[in-house]
Amino acid sequence: MDKKTYYIAVGSGEILEPADTTGNFEFEILATPEEIDQLAELFEDQDDAEGDTAARAIIPYRLYHKDKENDAYDANLQEIYRMLHQLGTPETRSHIESMNILDGLRP
């Protein structure tokens, strides 16, 4: 199946097609509709994980580095960036590599 160009805004979880790029975006990728569906699922999971971390944040005695909700949020965010790196243009891949966010991810 042919890949199309999409523009991604990670913070808002937006996946924009070229005709819709009136907003801000950080990354350009080339993806099939199935890959876009997978990325959309990761963004939905991230939204759920964000809600879990917000609920956990009101517990003052739990440390961030010993917190399964934050671990899930971080792992999901790394998966989003891993997928963006895999599908990204050379500029996108280079930018993500410069962020060092994929360090420590399993291949």
Side-chain angles (χ1 to χ4, degrees):
M1 193 169 252
D2 289 335
K3 293 188 176 213
K4 290 177 27 180
T5 299
Y6 295 91
Y7 300 96
I8 309 301
V10 174
S12 62
E14 291 180 280
I15 301 170
L16 305 166
E17 293 193 40
D20 300 326
T21 57
T22 56
N24 292 327
F25 62 90
E26 294 100 23
F27 301 106
E28 181 179 350
I29 64 170
L30 299 170
T32 65
E34 290 80 17
E35 291 166 331
I36 290 300
D37 288 344
Q38 291 173 357
L39 184 59
E41 280 186 39
L42 286 173
F43 278 129
E44 288 175 20
D45 292 346
Q46 189 68 0
D47 191 48
D48 292 342
E50 190 172 318
D52 292 343
T53 62
R56 197 254 12 121
I58 62 172
I59 303 171
Y61 56 85
R62 272 176 83 187
L63 301 174
Y64 179 90
H65 63 283
K66 295 186 178 189
D67 187 324
K68 66 180 179 158
E69 291 87 359
N70 284 330
D71 291 344
Y73 179 89
D74 292 347
N76 195 71
L77 188 59
Q78 282 188 323
E79 283 303 308
I80 289 171
Y81 279 107
R82 182 201 54 76
M83 188 167 194
L84 293 176
H85 184 267
Q86 176 186 351
L87 301 173
T89 62
E91 294 82 12
T92 292
R93 287 193 303 271
S94 177
H95 183 83
I96 291 171
E97 289 165 10
S98 76
M99 296 168 65
N100 295 320
I101 194 163
L102 300 180
D103 292 349
L105 261 187
R106 295 178 304 274

